[in-house]
Amino acid sequence: MHGRLKAAVLVLVMMSGTAFAGVEDWQNSYRLEREGKYADALGAIAPVPANGPDAELKTLRRGWLYYLTGSYNESIREYRYAVERNPHSIDALLGETLPLLAQKRWRAAEQVSKDALAISPNHYTALLRLSQALEGERNWPGMEQAASSLANHYPSDATAFLYLARAHAWQGHNAEAAAAYRAVLVRYPDQAEAASFLSGMNGK
Amino acid sequence: MKMKLAGPLLLTLMSMGKAEASSWLFDANPSLTQGTYSGSIERSSLTDRGIKVSASYLDQGAITAGYSRTLVAMKTAPTIDQDNWLLSGHFNRYLDSGHGRLSFRLDGYRLNNNDFVGQTGGVTTIAPQVSWLSNDGMLYADLGYARSGYQNALTVQQYTPTAGFGLNGGNDWIQFRAFLIRGLNPLRAEGKSATTGADAKWTHYFAAGSPLKPSSVSLGISLGEKIYAVDMDAMSVANLADLQRGGETVGLGWKISRDAKLFALAGQMRYTNTQIANDYRLNVGYVDLSFD
């Protein structure tokens, strides 16, 4: 009887070991990221199997950590790989927009943001990244449209109105820009850009 | 008898037609150049009509094909009639850590005309260029090279280092480009075996305003001497020109609607034909309508 109990305990211990296998690698990676040691955080998840249950997460995290290290091309490659593995992954698409925006590859960032919106229309981050890409392209009407959609779907968000205000300002729509900047200040009273624009308008 | 078209002064009168299909953008740009010579013993006017078609894929690269027909009306000789063919491609490589963008470009030009002496026709030019743009778009540099093969054993080589930078938060842009042209045959190049020239250009971008308010103004100045120059911005080869000794341009741009822009330019280039001791000018008015 005693021997059977020991065997059962041993099986439980082995099972728990299996269940928690690799968790420590992830914990180390997150800790190292918090400490700003991004390359080490990448190394910490190197043992995670490429075909195991965490493979997709590993790819996404590698994309993120490469982005943090400034290795934008590697980051894009990882996120692209993640998209190929899972074309429904909004995470991967939004992740890819980060290095693309960092490299000022505006048209590519626009396209990937639209890919994310095709999966999830009106997604906040996708609309925001689209607005940023269109701002980089100096496509003010397009930016106005994206930011307007953002403000419409997220009416409490100051950032949405900030991008809308910029789009109007670049087009010389001063009244609309002033209204949008005012909306920013109502939601975020210390926003410097909005305050500067409105004080300039008042000075005229 | 040698004639020359002011390559940098191609005038795009109308730019039209842009189709957008997913990641590709397609553009078609018909163009018109019109100029008159003052003080020239030989030349009267020039006209260039052409079209360029380009396709670009996201931010990765583009390919452009073009054709134009140039006519240089002479005072006592038959009009020079020239066909200009162009094929240009480039691709971009983005550097990590925000260190900017490298672009690798290769242009090919082929020029055929009715020059019966064969000195200016049958020209083939190959022009590679490597350029770098900083991530914030405030610094630019390129190094261009062009090798032009003319009939009767003349090969002209050109080196064009360029530097540009932004000021005032990018609202102003200043660019310098040197033209170091070597391998000239003095008998066919106004006595020159080499020329050195430089172009400088300042552009100011205005904040948006009424449709009548210009969106940009630019001033250009050309210094030194150039002959047989290849201008990779204008995508032209000056195979018909005499020795260029300076010039000035002023341009104004307007954004006239959501998708349309208008650009107007006035310019004057000074030339010398030493064989007949003739200094003269080319006066150009320019208008360019383009759709984004």
Side-chain angles (χ1 to χ4, degrees):
Chain A
M1 187 66 179
H2 185 66
R4 293 174 73 180
L5 181 61
K6 282 179 67 177
V9 169
L10 184 60
V11 168
L12 281 172
V13 168
M14 290 176 65
M15 286 177 63
S16 66
T18 302
F20 286 98
V23 169
E24 191 177 330
D25 294 334
W26 291 96
Q27 289 173 337
N28 285 336
S29 180
Y30 296 135
R31 176 179 54 77
L32 290 164
E33 179 191 344
R34 283 195 300 274
E35 294 171 1
K37 299 172 180 174
Y38 305 130
D40 293 336
L42 265 168
I45 56 171
V48 176
N51 293 314
D54 300 328
E56 182 177 14
L57 180 61
K58 179 183 180 180
T59 304
L60 291 169
R61 182 151 178 77
R62 282 167 60 86
W64 167 246
L65 290 170
Y66 274 126
Y67 168 71
L68 291 179
T69 62
S71 300
Y72 299 136
N73 293 323
E74 289 294 337
S75 176
I76 291 167
R77 267 191 282 275
E78 293 293 334
Y79 282 125
R80 272 285 97 193
Y81 180 54
V83 172
E84 288 171 12
R85 288 176 64 118
N86 178 7
H88 304 291
S89 171
I90 297 172
D91 270 354
L93 291 166
L94 294 180
E96 188 183 355
T97 61
L98 291 170
L100 289 173
L101 289 170
Q103 290 185 323
K104 301 192 186 302
R105 295 166 70 170
W106 309 119
R107 283 180 58 195
E110 176 195 352
Q111 185 64 53
V112 174
S113 299
K114 287 179 174 175
D115 290 344
L117 288 167
I119 300 171
S120 178
N122 308 317
H123 189 289
Y124 175 83
T125 307
L127 280 170
L128 180 60
R129 302 273 166 80
L130 177 61
S131 300
Q132 293 168 334
L134 293 168
E135 181 182 32
E137 292 179 49
R138 303 176 73 84
N139 180 350
W140 313 125
M143 180 187 176
E144 178 191 337
Q145 192 174 4
S148 180
S149 179
L150 195 62
N152 187 38
H153 292 289
Y154 303 92
S156 67
D157 185 69
T159 303
F161 285 94
L162 183 63
Y163 278 91
L164 181 60
R166 283 183 191 170
H168 281 307
W170 275 110
Q171 294 176 93
H173 305 160
N174 288 337
E176 292 88 343
Y181 274 126
R182 183 190 173 279
V184 172
L185 284 185
V186 168
R187 288 157 181 78
Y188 190 88
D190 296 327
Q191 215 288 328
E193 180 181 323
S196 173
F197 182 90
L198 291 173
S199 63
M201 289 285 288
N202 290 333
K204 288 181 180 178
Chain B
M1 184 61 186
K2 180 162 62 63
M3 294 152 244
K4 176 53 184 143
L5 167 68
L9 296 177
L10 275 181
L11 302 186
T12 301
L13 180 60
M14 203 173 87
S15 174
M16 69 179 192
K18 168 177 277 190
E20 186 170 354
S22 66
S23 304
W24 286 90
L25 284 178
F26 300 94
D27 293 274
N29 297 88
S31 63
L32 172 66
T33 302
Q34 200 74 48
T36 59
Y37 293 96
S38 65
S40 173
I41 295 173
E42 292 182 332
R43 300 170 184 237
S44 178
S45 64
L46 76 84
T47 302
D48 183 277
R49 296 184 180 91
I51 185 168
K52 292 191 189 86
V53 179
S54 64
S56 62
Y57 182 76
L58 294 178
D59 311 293
Q60 295 186 17
I63 187 166
T64 300
Y67 166 78
S68 72
R69 184 182 181 193
T70 304
L71 299 173
V72 180
M74 310 300 289
K75 290 183 174 171
T76 58
T79 295
I80 296 294
D81 189 345
Q82 176 165 292
D83 295 314
N84 311 284
W85 297 93
L86 154 74
L87 186 61
S88 172
H90 78 268
F91 65 93
N92 301 321
R93 283 292 174 266
Y94 294 86
L95 304 176
D96 277 335
S97 302
H99 289 147
R101 185 192 73 194
L102 286 174
S103 293
F104 302 89
R105 175 176 163 184
L106 181 64
D107 285 9
Y109 304 88
R110 176 69 183 178
L111 316 172
N112 294 313
N113 63 31
N114 60 347
D115 177 3
F116 65 91
V117 180
Q119 299 281 62
T120 61
V123 180
T124 300
T125 298
I126 299 296
Q129 182 192 68
V130 179
S131 64
W132 171 81
L133 179 67
S134 66
N135 209 44
D136 63 3
M138 298 291 279
L139 289 172
Y140 172 85
D142 76 47
L143 181 60
Y145 169 77
R147 183 183 179 91
S148 299
Y150 288 78
Q151 294 188 49
N152 302 323
L154 175 63
T155 300
V156 177
Q157 300 187 72
Q158 173 181 292
Y159 304 88
T160 50
T162 303
F165 57 92
L167 295 170
N168 190 22
N171 290 322
D172 293 280
W173 184 261
I174 295 173
Q175 181 167 298
F176 301 97
R177 170 168 290 160
F179 290 79
L180 311 173
I181 299 173
R182 303 292 183 262
L184 299 170
N185 178 349
L187 296 176
R188 296 168 63 179
E190 310 298 341
K192 302 288 181 179
S193 59
T195 64
T196 299
D199 286 355
K201 186 178 179 183
W202 166 71
T203 303
H204 176 74
Y205 299 95
F206 295 101
S210 69
L212 295 177
K213 178 183 175 184
S215 58
S216 69
V217 60
S218 63
L219 296 174
I221 184 169
S222 182
L223 302 169
E225 296 179 333
K226 284 187 281 188
I227 192 166
Y228 296 124
V230 178
D231 188 329
M232 293 183 73
D233 286 344
M235 292 183 157
S236 65
V237 180
N239 67 310
L240 298 174
D242 286 326
L243 183 66
Q244 182 189 333
R245 284 179 164 158
E248 299 84 26
T249 60
V250 56
L252 284 172
W254 289 268
K255 188 171 177 61
I256 56 177
S257 75
R258 173 172 168 167
D259 299 318
K261 293 175 186 172
L262 177 69
F263 186 73
L265 178 142
Q268 184 181 82
M269 295 293 167
R270 291 180 290 280
Y271 294 94
T272 294
N273 185 329
T274 57
Q275 294 174 0
I276 56 175
N278 180 206
D279 294 334
Y280 63 93
R281 297 177 178 184
L282 173 62
N283 304 303
V284 175
Y286 169 95
V287 63
D288 178 321
L289 181 63
S290 64
F291 294 93
D292 291 333

